[in-house]
Amino acid sequence: MLNFSSDYTNGAHPEVLRRLIETNDEVLTTYGSDIYTESAKAKIRTSCGCPDADIYFLAGGTQTNLTVISGMLGLCGAVVAADTGHIALHEAGAIEYTGHKVLTVPHRGGKITAEALTACLRGFYADENHTHMPYPGMVYISHPTEYGTLYSRDELKALHAICRAHEIPLYVDGARLGYGLASHGSDLSLAELAANCDAFYIGGTKVGALCGEAVVFPRGNAPRHFFTMIKQHGALLAKGRLIGVQFDALFTDDLYLRISCHAIDCAETLKAILREKGYRFFMETPTNQQFVVLENAQMAKLGEQVAFSYWEPFDETHTVVRFATSWSTTEADLEALRALL
Amino acid sequence: MLNFSSDYTNGAHPEVLRRLIETNDEVLTTYGSDIYTESAKAKIRTSCGCPDADIYFLAGGTQTNLTVISGMLGLCGAVVAADTGHIALHEAGAIEYTGHKVLTVPHRGGKITAEALTACLRGFYADENHTHMPYPGMVYISHPTEYGTLYSRDELKALHAICRAHEIPLYVDGARLGYGLASHGSDLSLAELAANCDAFYIGGTKVGALCGEAVVFPRGNAPRHFFTMIKQHGALLAKGRLIGVQFDALFTDDLYLRISCHAIDCAETLKAILREKGYRFFMETPTNQQFVVLENAQMAKLGEQVAFSYWEPFDETHTVVRFATSWSTTEADLEALRALL
Amino acid sequence: MLNFSSDYTNGAHPEVLRRLIETNDEVLTTYGSDIYTESAKAKIRTSCGCPDADIYFLAGGTQTNLTVISGMLGLCGAVVAADTGHIALHEAGAIEYTGHKVLTVPHRGGKITAEALTACLRGFYADENHTHMPYPGMVYISHPTEYGTLYSRDELKALHAICRAHEIPLYVDGARLGYGLASHGSDLSLAELAANCDAFYIGGTKVGALCGEAVVFPRGNAPRHFFTMIKQHGALLAKGRLIGVQFDALFTDDLYLRISCHAIDCAETLKAILREKGYRFFMETPTNQQFVVLENAQMAKLGEQVAFSYWEPFDETHTVVRFATSWSTTEADLEALRALL
Amino acid sequence: MLNFSSDYTNGAHPEVLRRLIETNDEVLTTYGSDIYTESAKAKIRTSCGCPDADIYFLAGGTQTNLTVISGMLGLCGAVVAADTGHIALHEAGAIEYTGHKVLTVPHRGGKITAEALTACLRGFYADENHTHMPYPGMVYISHPTEYGTLYSRDELKALHAICRAHEIPLYVDGARLGYGLASHGSDLSLAELAANCDAFYIGGTKVGALCGEAVVFPRGNAPRHFFTMIKQHGALLAKGRLIGVQFDALFTDDLYLRISCHAIDCAETLKAILREKGYRFFMETPTNQQFVVLENAQMAKLGEQVAFSYWEPFDETHTVVRFATSWSTTEADLEALRALL
């Protein structure tokens, strides 16, 4: 069966796997104090143009989100997110479990606009009773968003300026960051991203690693005791090498970006195929996820030969589905899909 | 200055105060084990027609909501509320602090409709990824609602039936329950309320007490260890008598209902005055809160002579304000208001 | 039955009750913004010699402890307490519910010694793995302690110096503070207490109020957003006047100290009676709680005529019980006890 | 440098690594729904003699402990542990962060005795005020313990009987379970362990895996919504295959037990060497961790050539250190150590 269901159905990128194999028999120190973790951090600092960055490696996205958000928020703050944000919908209430409300604002194409953010913050402070309400203590965006869309450099700068004016941090969920950076539609480099937010993570799980996300506090601004918080959330791996070695590989010779570019090239071909075959786009995106509207019977039939993801109902008789490419997508996959559609 | 700002600007109803004075010098046992607390419970059980009810007294509304909701919800459940619900907006994230998401559904006149609740629950279970989402583990409604509106008996039964079908409890926030029961627009008795939900509280703070709310689990269905949970939330008063004596007074000779009826009579007069003076209703309600739209300059001027509550902006030049009556409103207050408007 | 069971079996001190009655019909603003609450704060600031103190009123001791401790601790910190501390034993895990460990050190007479505190802090920082452990983020003591004992001025200064050296706050639980200040064995004034800790509360519930504790941050050092945290914990009373009026009365004409002195005088007489009747002291204390060891049959017999508190088992055949005096103890009570023993 | 510092300084066992490599390019379903995860569960059910067991894979020990404990405990319960228990000391307050107190009882050789557990539970229920205290809602033991000691079958049965009598679950932390099962001093099989507790985990991280622990609820008794709780705690890996494949390898052809036996053989040799060289044992254990007392200067000197773990101070001039063997210890390592000492 052809597979376009998601970007985490394969194991590790061969180069990443090779480094895990090569280092397997080495005796290394634990809990992320090993030389490969240190090396990975140094390389990421260079790639981000942030020599003072604090960097931590965690195993997965929800874990990263809940640890960073609860660590950065004040005790009674809420995190502002788009109503389509991953933390608002699909993380099983993980943020709330740490004691914090997710305050949602209406999305536009999966993004928070400067207008919507300003309205949310102004509305809060204008309310006479705002001390009876959870105050907006930080802002969460995902880049690419859950809909595969991207913030432009200007959009990001505008959001960051609003955050700075309110003295609250801006945090960027980069579960698929590579695919965003590699997109033809992106005008944002990794260094520019780092300069225009207060924390972000570089997703590994969906971009070539077996597991792992790299949290970056660009200006050495990790919350106090952040290491202990990671442990407290059960997010500290005894064999920290597992993630350190993988990110060391991903940030050697631009592997992270190279494999992301491949996925984007595949996505461009995918879009062309879908367009040429007359498929109706729900959202045509500049990254590795494409959303099309299928008639329900057609969806069932197609589903017998190609794996895609159910997204959401469109109307009584149609459904939105997602096709995703990744570093592991091949030209053969695309040709087979073209033949099939 | 005339006062229609809220229903908790005065001390205790004279009868409630009298009982506090009369019992003040008695030596009583502590933490709610005293004879007046027991007597109050017995009287409430009778009023509710629930001989097996578990009853607990807490000091305030938010405290009651967070203790009951966290006690009744499963570990990873969310509570469904109207997007205008008090727990969703004005309790400083107290529910989230206990680890639970508030899942909002669009309100109609402050209420949750059976359709909206069904859509929320169906949508959840229909989603393939619902195990990645906080499951709707109970339903919260307020009666009267934050907009002063009321559920009819049939509406309540419909919601309860949906809850039972999903095996989740229905909880009713009765911060102003007296004013709901006394309303001419209500077809619901206290016993019918008790029969058609799984927990509710009878608000004292806004209906004649200095503080205090009576939580009722109508069929002896309090969560296990609920007393310890109350202590754990810092909600257990050493001198439990303070609330016990007040509720004992409120449920003697129908005081709770009698003073609520007085507030409703005043509210009916208030509505007539507002109507007769040509005020524009934002929402004309059957209970003790009335919402009118004022032009902003008019609002400022009126505010010099009468206290009302800012509610929300209406448009650029108008604001919604609230006038509230209570057990302490007098005919003289109303006549003075009539003269003033 | 004679009553020496605890210091919260009676209602309010008559003077406190009188002020509640006198102000009952006044229309006051809500949530602690009323004039009596403001007046009470001003008087407490004067009494403490702390013109810049932040002051908040909460309803009870556990509520105060959990709100202050979770508010002052960092996100992953633990609070150090004596192993006999109220928060360690008798608050139903309320501190842990807010996410924080209670780190206990062995008590001496209910107190934390400078040596024990130093050992705890040194031990933590000396441990190579201390980032894997909850760090000691603040210190909790009670004054008087759970055993009725008192810190001397020097002892308090020593603990505070250790805390300052480690840059962690010292918090004093003053549930029975009045009885400590009034004790003949105390060399500590309210102002000296305020100068030698970072937060404390002045207990009202056990010293003449129906309910209420006054939290003092002596140097305007309340945690940011503390008001919202109070709301979030369900600890904000709509009718803040209830506690404001009571503390305004307690801090008018030194009432708080005067009634505490009365309780201490009674306690001295009680000690004399117990001594004269040959009772064996488990702990003879300088405050209003006295602990004696009773043979179990004797305890049962005595318990028929006088109410005291079970404390803890002493050995197979003896039990430790507590006799407490309070502002409401009378000379007649003491004479009756003398006659009885 | 010789390495006896811990059992997680190496990568994966070669056989485990081989299976990761072999399956790397396969397209597999996500979040633990893949065929290898299913296969691993089936093999573990067989090994445990528990055809109905619920099995979940998590990434690490603290994560597993906090997820299982918060999932199994009631809302206001505490978990009973030895005062040397990992959750009591070295998990950064992770259990408390989920809202639960760790109630400690004095250990004997790292173990909880039936007497100590009975005393703890009896003491709780005998206390008149026990509803003001966190109730002991489950029991946590580690096997092997933090000191490398083991429960006998009879000891485990005795603890389980006490738990059953109090209707609270017994949970076993098996971070090093393999080394316990393989010990010459053990009279407990995996099936017997499963039959005599209510939940346990089979540690992978320290026994041949890169990461991963298998939680077993032997009689299909996983808490309701446990999968969602795992997600909520950030403990759900998108590529569940990472742990599934590893455990599938570990439970093929008894690999888990075989490599554990090797570590135990090495530990026996290690003990013989230490004994023969006249080292003073702090605790001579039947498993893979050995604790010896070194004079501090000797410790510093030895530390230049062999890596061991600092454990705890012994006295002013001596320190307890730990030597650990593992599946990766070689005969050459042992011979080199023998030559060195």
Side-chain angles (χ1 to χ4, degrees):
Chain A
M1 172 123 78
L2 275 176
N3 176 44
F4 289 89
S5 63
S6 83
D7 36 21
Y8 46 104
T9 52
N10 285 55
H13 184 276
E15 192 61 19
V16 171
L17 187 64
R18 187 175 65 79
R19 292 297 295 146
L20 282 173
I21 298 166
E22 287 173 355
T23 60
N24 188 64
D25 294 340
E26 297 179 24
V27 171
L28 296 177
T29 55
T30 54
Y31 297 113
S33 63
D34 63 280
I35 52 173
Y36 297 107
T37 299
E38 282 310 314
S39 169
K41 289 182 182 179
K43 289 171 182 169
I44 290 173
R45 284 191 192 100
T46 301
S47 291
C48 296
C50 295
D52 301 324
D54 290 326
I55 297 177
Y56 297 88
F57 295 107
L58 285 91
T62 297
Q63 182 178 86
T64 302
N65 285 336
L66 74 89
T67 306
V68 172
I69 290 171
S70 66
M72 294 193 88
L73 266 183
L75 287 168
C76 59
V79 53
V80 179
D83 51 6
T84 50
H86 205 253
I87 58 167
L89 288 177
H90 286 105
E91 297 193 348
I95 302 304
E96 288 85 357
Y97 188 78
T98 70
H100 298 287
K101 192 181 189 76
V102 180
L103 271 177
T104 56
V105 298
H107 76 107
R108 193 185 298 162
K111 295 192 277 183
I112 297 183
T113 62
E115 292 68 37
L117 180 57
T118 299
C120 166
L121 297 175
R122 269 208 199 131
F124 174 77
Y125 288 106
D127 193 315
E128 281 183 9
N129 296 312
H130 68 77
T131 56
H132 292 234
M133 296 156 71
Y135 86 99
M138 69 185 290
V139 175
Y140 162 99
I141 60 175
S142 38
H143 181 86
T145 69
E146 292 72 14
Y147 280 111
T149 52
L150 291 173
Y151 288 86
S152 70
R153 191 194 303 145
D154 286 349
E155 287 172 335
L156 184 68
K157 283 190 172 183
L159 293 183
H160 199 211
I162 297 168
C163 287
R164 276 200 315 267
H166 287 85
E167 298 182 4
I168 59 177
L170 176 63
Y171 165 58
V172 181
D173 178 335
R176 295 184 168 93
L177 185 58
Y179 304 134
L181 297 171
S183 166
H184 306 167
S186 169
D187 65 355
L188 202 61
S189 70
L190 188 51
E192 286 165 332
L193 173 69
N196 287 290
C197 70
D198 302 292
F200 66 100
Y201 81 84
I202 303 170
T205 302
K206 290 165 180 166
V207 193
L210 279 168
C211 67
E213 328 292 326
V215 180
V216 182
F217 296 98
R219 291 166 292 280
N221 57 320
R224 218 182 144 209
H225 299 295
F226 195 68
F227 180 87
T228 303
M229 283 184 223
I230 291 173
K231 176 80 181 177
Q232 186 183 51
H233 285 98
L236 186 67
L237 287 187
K239 296 187 179 174
R241 67 197 286 159
L242 170 57
I243 307 181
V245 167
Q246 293 186 87
F247 268 90
D248 193 48
L250 286 170
F251 278 81
T252 299
D253 298 337
D254 275 338
L255 180 64
Y256 189 73
L257 208 56
R258 281 189 286 121
I259 67 181
S260 297
C261 284
H262 170 77
I264 291 300
D265 290 344
C266 291
E268 291 297 321
T269 306
L270 172 66
K271 273 196 283 190
I273 294 171
L274 291 168
R275 238 185 270 119
E276 144 199 341
K277 299 289 183 175
Y279 279 81
R280 172 180 177 188
F281 281 90
F282 175 70
M283 207 169 269
E284 194 171 339
T285 90
T287 62
N288 72 316
Q289 305 180 82
Q290 302 301 328
F291 301 87
V292 297
V293 179
L294 297 184
E295 196 278 325
N296 290 346
Q298 177 193 20
M299 176 176 70
K301 189 149 180 303
L302 190 61
E304 291 166 14
Q305 293 180 282
V306 54
F308 45 76
S309 284
Y310 165 90
W311 205 250
E312 57 189 52
F314 183 77
D315 61 23
E316 293 287 297
T317 54
H318 294 78
T319 301
V320 180
V321 304
R322 182 190 69 179
F323 286 78
T325 64
S326 80
W327 58 269
S328 64
T329 307
T330 64
E331 282 198 28
D333 293 335
L334 290 160
E335 285 320 302
L337 184 70
R338 190 194 302 269
L340 191 86
L341 294 182
Chain B
M1 172 123 79
L2 275 176
N3 176 43
F4 289 88
S5 62
S6 83
D7 36 21
Y8 46 103
T9 52
N10 285 56
H13 184 276
E15 191 61 18
V16 170
L17 187 65
R18 187 174 67 78
R19 291 297 295 146
L20 282 173
I21 298 166
E22 286 173 356
T23 60
N24 188 64
D25 293 341
E26 297 180 23
V27 171
L28 296 177
T29 55
T30 53
Y31 297 114
S33 64
D34 62 280
I35 52 173
Y36 297 107
T37 300
E38 282 309 314
S39 167
K41 288 182 183 179
K43 288 171 182 169
I44 291 173
R45 284 191 192 100
T46 301
S47 291
C48 296
C50 295
D52 300 325
D54 290 326
I55 297 176
Y56 297 88
F57 295 107
L58 285 91
T62 297
Q63 181 178 86
T64 302
N65 285 337
L66 74 88
T67 307
V68 171
I69 290 171
S70 67
M72 293 192 89
L73 267 183
L75 286 168
C76 60
V79 53
V80 179
D83 51 5
T84 49
H86 205 254
I87 58 168
L89 288 176
H90 286 104
E91 298 194 345
I95 302 303
E96 288 85 357
Y97 188 78
T98 70
H100 298 286
K101 193 180 189 75
V102 179
L103 272 178
T104 56
V105 297
H107 76 106
R108 192 185 298 161
K111 296 192 276 183
I112 298 182
T113 62
E115 292 68 36
L117 179 57
T118 299
C120 167
L121 298 175
R122 270 209 200 131
F124 174 78
Y125 288 106
D127 193 315
E128 281 183 9
N129 295 313
H130 69 76
T131 56
H132 292 233
M133 297 156 71
Y135 84 100
M138 69 186 290
V139 175
Y140 162 99
I141 60 174
S142 38
H143 181 87
T145 69
E146 293 71 14
Y147 281 110
T149 51
L150 292 173
Y151 288 87
S152 70
R153 192 193 304 147
D154 285 349
E155 287 172 336
L156 183 68
K157 282 190 172 183
L159 293 183
H160 198 212
I162 296 168
C163 287
R164 278 200 314 265
H166 287 84
E167 298 182 4
I168 60 177
L170 176 63
Y171 165 58
V172 181
D173 179 334
R176 294 184 168 93
L177 185 57
Y179 304 134
L181 297 172
S183 165
H184 306 166
S186 169
D187 64 355
L188 202 61
S189 69
L190 188 52
E192 285 166 333
L193 173 69
N196 287 290
C197 71
D198 302 293
F200 66 100
Y201 81 84
I202 303 170
T205 302
K206 289 164 181 167
V207 193
L210 279 168
C211 67
E213 326 293 325
V215 181
V216 182
F217 296 100
R219 291 166 293 280
N221 57 320
R224 217 181 145 209
H225 300 295
F226 195 68
F227 180 88
T228 303
M229 283 183 223
I230 291 173
K231 175 81 181 177
Q232 186 183 51
H233 284 98
L236 186 66
L237 288 186
K239 297 186 179 174
R241 67 197 285 160
L242 170 59
I243 307 181
V245 166
Q246 293 186 88
F247 268 91
D248 193 48
L250 287 169
F251 279 81
T252 299
D253 298 336
D254 274 337
L255 179 65
Y256 188 73
L257 208 58
R258 280 190 286 122
I259 68 181
S260 297
C261 284
H262 169 78
I264 291 300
D265 290 343
C266 292
E268 291 297 320
T269 305
L270 171 67
K271 273 197 281 189
I273 294 171
L274 291 167
R275 239 186 269 119
E276 144 199 339
K277 298 289 183 174
Y279 279 81
R280 173 181 177 186
F281 282 89
F282 175 69
M283 207 168 271
E284 193 172 338
T285 89
T287 61
N288 72 316
Q289 304 181 82
Q290 301 302 326
F291 300 86
V292 297
V293 179
L294 298 183
E295 195 278 328
N296 290 346
Q298 177 195 18
M299 177 176 70
K301 189 150 181 303
L302 191 60
E304 291 166 13
Q305 292 180 283
V306 54
F308 44 77
S309 285
Y310 165 91
W311 205 249
E312 58 188 53
F314 183 76
D315 61 23
E316 292 288 296
T317 54
H318 295 77
T319 300
V320 179
V321 303
R322 182 191 69 179
F323 286 77
T325 63
S326 80
W327 58 270
S328 63
T329 307
T330 63
E331 282 197 29
D333 293 335
L334 291 162
E335 285 320 301
L337 184 69
R338 190 194 304 267
L340 192 85
L341 294 183
Chain C
M1 173 120 80
L2 274 177
N3 176 43
F4 289 89
S5 63
S6 84
D7 36 20
Y8 45 104
T9 53
N10 285 56
H13 184 276
E15 191 62 18
V16 171
L17 186 65
R18 188 175 66 79
R19 291 299 293 147
L20 282 173
I21 298 167
E22 286 173 357
T23 60
N24 188 64
D25 293 341
E26 297 179 23
V27 170
L28 296 178
T29 55
T30 54
Y31 297 113
S33 63
D34 63 282
I35 51 172
Y36 297 107
T37 299
E38 282 310 314
S39 168
K41 288 182 183 180
K43 288 172 182 169
I44 290 173
R45 283 190 193 101
T46 301
S47 291
C48 296
C50 294
D52 300 325
D54 290 327
I55 297 176
Y56 296 88
F57 295 106
L58 286 90
T62 297
Q63 181 179 85
T64 302
N65 285 336
L66 74 90
T67 306
V68 172
I69 290 172
S70 67
M72 294 192 88
L73 266 183
L75 287 169
C76 58
V79 54
V80 179
D83 50 6
T84 49
H86 205 254
I87 58 168
L89 288 177
H90 285 104
E91 298 193 346
I95 302 303
E96 289 85 358
Y97 188 78
T98 70
H100 299 286
K101 192 181 189 74
V102 179
L103 271 177
T104 55
V105 298
H107 76 107
R108 193 184 299 160
K111 295 192 276 183
I112 297 182
T113 63
E115 292 69 36
L117 180 57
T118 300
C120 167
L121 297 174
R122 270 210 200 129
F124 174 78
Y125 288 106
D127 193 316
E128 281 183 7
N129 295 313
H130 69 76
T131 56
H132 291 233
M133 296 156 72
Y135 85 98
M138 69 186 289
V139 175
Y140 162 98
I141 60 173
S142 36
H143 181 86
T145 68
E146 292 73 13
Y147 281 110
T149 52
L150 292 173
Y151 288 87
S152 70
R153 192 193 303 147
D154 285 348
E155 287 172 336
L156 184 67
K157 281 189 173 183
L159 292 183
H160 199 211
I162 297 168
C163 287
R164 277 199 314 267
H166 287 85
E167 296 182 5
I168 60 177
L170 176 63
Y171 165 58
V172 181
D173 178 334
R176 294 183 168 94
L177 186 56
Y179 304 134
L181 296 172
S183 165
H184 306 165
S186 169
D187 65 354
L188 202 61
S189 70
L190 188 51
E192 286 166 332
L193 172 69
N196 287 290
C197 70
D198 301 294
F200 66 99
Y201 81 85
I202 302 170
T205 302
K206 290 164 180 167
V207 193
L210 279 168
C211 67
E213 328 292 325
V215 180
V216 182
F217 296 99
R219 291 166 292 281
N221 57 320
R224 217 180 146 212
H225 300 297
F226 195 68
F227 180 88
T228 303
M229 284 183 223
I230 291 173
K231 176 79 181 177
Q232 186 183 52
H233 285 99
L236 186 66
L237 287 187
K239 297 186 179 174
R241 66 196 288 160
L242 170 59
I243 306 182
V245 167
Q246 292 185 88
F247 268 91
D248 192 48
L250 286 170
F251 278 81
T252 299
D253 297 336
D254 275 337
L255 179 64
Y256 188 72
L257 209 57
R258 281 189 286 122
I259 67 181
S260 297
C261 284
H262 169 77
I264 291 299
D265 289 345
C266 291
E268 290 298 321
T269 304
L270 171 67
K271 272 196 282 189
I273 294 170
L274 291 167
R275 239 185 270 118
E276 144 199 339
K277 299 289 183 176
Y279 279 81
R280 172 178 176 189
F281 282 89
F282 176 69
M283 207 168 268
E284 193 171 340
T285 90
T287 61
N288 72 316
Q289 304 181 81
Q290 302 302 327
F291 301 86
V292 296
V293 179
L294 298 183
E295 196 278 328
N296 290 347
Q298 177 195 20
M299 176 175 72
K301 189 149 180 302
L302 192 61
E304 290 166 13
Q305 292 179 285
V306 54
F308 45 77
S309 284
Y310 165 89
W311 205 250
E312 58 189 51
F314 182 76
D315 62 22
E316 292 288 296
T317 54
H318 295 78
T319 300
V320 179
V321 303
R322 182 190 68 179
F323 287 78
T325 64
S326 80
W327 58 270
S328 64
T329 307
T330 63
E331 282 197 28
D333 293 335
L334 290 162
E335 285 320 302
L337 183 69
R338 190 194 302 270
L340 190 86
L341 293 182
Chain D
M1 171 120 79
L2 274 178
N3 176 43
F4 288 89
S5 63
S6 83
D7 36 20
Y8 46 102
T9 53
N10 285 56
H13 184 276
E15 192 60 19
V16 170
L17 187 65
R18 188 175 65 79
R19 290 299 294 147
L20 282 173
I21 298 166
E22 286 174 357
T23 60
N24 187 65
D25 293 340
E26 297 180 23
V27 170
L28 296 178
T29 55
T30 54
Y31 298 113
S33 63
D34 63 280
I35 51 172
Y36 297 107
T37 299
E38 282 310 315
S39 168
K41 289 182 183 181
K43 289 173 182 168
I44 291 173
R45 283 191 193 100
T46 301
S47 291
C48 296
C50 295
D52 300 325
D54 290 327
I55 297 176
Y56 297 89
F57 296 107
L58 285 91
T62 297
Q63 181 178 86
T64 302
N65 285 336
L66 75 89
T67 306
V68 171
I69 290 172
S70 67
M72 293 193 88
L73 266 183
L75 287 169
C76 59
V79 54
V80 179
D83 50 7
T84 49
H86 205 253
I87 58 167
L89 288 176
H90 285 104
E91 298 193 346
I95 303 302
E96 288 85 358
Y97 188 78
T98 70
H100 298 286
K101 192 181 190 74
V102 180
L103 271 178
T104 56
V105 297
H107 76 107
R108 193 185 298 162
K111 295 192 276 182
I112 298 182
T113 62
E115 291 68 37
L117 180 57
T118 299
C120 167
L121 297 175
R122 269 209 201 132
F124 174 78
Y125 288 106
D127 193 315
E128 280 183 8
N129 296 312
H130 69 76
T131 56
H132 292 234
M133 297 156 71
Y135 85 98
M138 69 186 289
V139 175
Y140 163 98
I141 60 174
S142 36
H143 181 87
T145 69
E146 292 72 14
Y147 281 110
T149 52
L150 291 173
Y151 288 87
S152 70
R153 191 194 303 145
D154 285 350
E155 287 172 335
L156 184 68
K157 282 189 172 182
L159 293 182
H160 199 211
I162 297 168
C163 287
R164 277 200 314 267
H166 287 85
E167 297 182 4
I168 60 178
L170 176 63
Y171 165 58
V172 181
D173 178 334
R176 294 183 167 95
L177 185 57
Y179 305 134
L181 296 172
S183 165
H184 306 167
S186 169
D187 65 353
L188 202 62
S189 70
L190 188 52
E192 285 165 333
L193 173 69
N196 287 290
C197 70
D198 301 294
F200 66 100
Y201 81 83
I202 302 170
T205 301
K206 290 165 181 167
V207 193
L210 279 168
C211 68
E213 328 292 326
V215 181
V216 182
F217 297 99
R219 290 166 291 281
N221 56 321
R224 216 180 147 211
H225 300 296
F226 194 69
F227 180 87
T228 302
M229 283 183 224
I230 291 173
K231 176 80 181 176
Q232 186 183 51
H233 285 99
L236 186 67
L237 288 187
K239 296 186 179 174
R241 65 195 288 158
L242 170 59
I243 306 181
V245 167
Q246 293 186 88
F247 268 91
D248 193 47
L250 287 170
F251 278 82
T252 299
D253 297 336
D254 274 336
L255 180 64
Y256 189 73
L257 208 57
R258 281 189 285 122
I259 67 181
S260 297
C261 284
H262 169 78
I264 291 299
D265 290 344
C266 291
E268 291 297 321
T269 305
L270 171 67
K271 272 196 283 188
I273 294 171
L274 291 167
R275 240 185 269 119
E276 142 200 342
K277 299 289 184 176
Y279 279 81
R280 171 180 177 188
F281 281 90
F282 176 69
M283 208 168 269
E284 193 171 339
T285 89
T287 62
N288 73 316
Q289 304 181 81
Q290 302 301 327
F291 301 86
V292 297
V293 178
L294 297 183
E295 196 278 326
N296 290 345
Q298 177 194 20
M299 176 175 72
K301 189 150 180 302
L302 191 61
E304 290 165 14
Q305 293 179 283
V306 55
F308 44 78
S309 284
Y310 164 90
W311 205 249
E312 59 189 53
F314 183 76
D315 61 24
E316 292 287 298
T317 55
H318 295 79
T319 300
V320 180
V321 304
R322 182 190 68 179
F323 286 78
T325 64
S326 80
W327 57 270
S328 64
T329 307
T330 63
E331 282 197 28
D333 294 334
L334 290 161
E335 285 320 302
L337 183 69
R338 190 194 303 269
L340 191 85
L341 293 183

